[in-house]
Amino acid sequence: MAEDTSTYPKSRAEGGYDTSIVRPELRDRQVEPRGRALGRRQRKAVRKALRTLHSLEIMAVNIYKCQITGDATPLDTALTVAMANEMTHMQDFQTHLYEYGFTPDKLRARFWAAGYVIGFGSRVLGRDRVLKTGVWAERKAVDHYGRLLAGADWDDETRAVIEKDRADEYGHIVRWEWFLNRPRP
Ligand SMILES: [Fe+2]
Ligand SMILES: [Fe+2]
């Protein structure tokens, strides 16, 4: 029986930010050198934070990628949407790393592999485990975002991007909890 999605969470303002932004093509002026006037210690803090966020988003993409079964259920569609959102987050942090003159973490493949293990591992354990893993991963992400937001001297535009991506993560938690709180289809 098809799952009833009439009460699907439609929140557009998780955490006070618009989570419904459609991404147009990037314009030249949207990419620019950043943070060159920061002191050595501040640049180090920004680099660490951006590398961490980028690696975590790589992991998130793989978790959702591995949870998608292709069975055309509402959950499968929601997982595909989540995967795509995480890809935009990964893009944000990869772009910002290069704007600041940094490169991604050389050991990011560990996060890529962890995403596969967590994603496949939860998938074989069934629907509830998939959803609980999503809530767990997103809560960790929100926690990281908060600490990294407070831990470096961000320019306003970069801060807005990080806050927007954090709002997306709140939206993911809402979505997985909605599925968890419903009777199984
Ligand atoms: Fe994300
Ligand atoms: Fe997320």
Side-chain angles (χ1 to χ4, degrees):
M1 193 181 75
E3 194 159 11
D4 173 20
T5 57
S6 58
T7 60
Y8 213 70
K10 294 275 191 295
S11 175
R12 294 287 190 226
E14 299 302 331
Y17 293 92
D18 186 357
T19 59
S20 63
I21 295 170
V22 176
R23 286 182 185 233
E25 184 184 22
L26 269 183
R27 306 275 177 231
D28 286 352
R29 62 189 155 73
Q30 289 177 280
V31 176
E32 57 181 78
R34 293 181 197 277
R36 305 310 163 108
L38 292 174
R40 203 162 154 265
R41 187 184 290 245
Q42 270 304 323
R43 276 184 64 79
K44 240 179 137 179
V46 168
R47 183 181 68 188
K48 186 164 185 275
L50 286 175
R51 281 182 172 171
T52 301
L53 290 165
H54 180 244
S55 296
L56 286 172
E57 298 299 348
I58 288 172
M59 183 170 83
V61 170
N62 273 4
I63 290 175
Y64 292 130
K65 195 196 293 178
C66 295
Q67 290 178 334
I68 297 166
T69 60
D71 58 6
T73 58
L75 175 58
D76 222 45
T77 303
L79 288 169
T80 307
V81 171
M83 176 193 71
N85 283 337
E86 306 301 1
M87 289 167 76
T88 64
H89 300 169
M90 192 180 86
Q91 173 185 317
D92 284 339
F93 297 122
Q94 191 161 323
T95 307
H96 276 79
L97 275 166
Y98 286 101
E99 285 182 321
Y100 274 92
F102 303 136
T103 53
D105 188 345
K106 288 192 174 47
L107 298 174
R108 64 192 179 282
R110 289 180 306 177
F111 289 83
W112 186 89
Y116 262 102
V117 171
I118 295 168
F120 270 127
S122 57
R123 179 176 156 180
V124 297
L125 293 172
R127 182 181 188 272
D128 279 9
R129 184 48 55 191
V130 162
L131 291 164
K132 283 177 183 164
T133 299
V135 172
W136 169 80
E138 298 292 353
R139 288 227 171 99
K140 283 245 178 278
V142 166
D143 190 53
H144 261 96
Y145 272 82
R147 277 191 280 131
L148 295 174
L149 269 168
D153 190 7
W154 302 106
D155 62 277
D156 290 346
E157 282 171 20
T158 304
R159 177 176 291 278
V161 167
I162 299 173
E163 288 177 341
K164 191 267 172 196
D165 288 354
R166 179 173 63 172
D168 287 347
E169 316 298 16
Y170 278 121
H172 291 159
I173 295 172
V174 170
R175 181 103 347 141
W176 306 143
E177 286 181 338
W178 180 86
F179 277 104
L180 269 173
N181 292 330
R182 288 177 54 77
R184 285 156 172 276

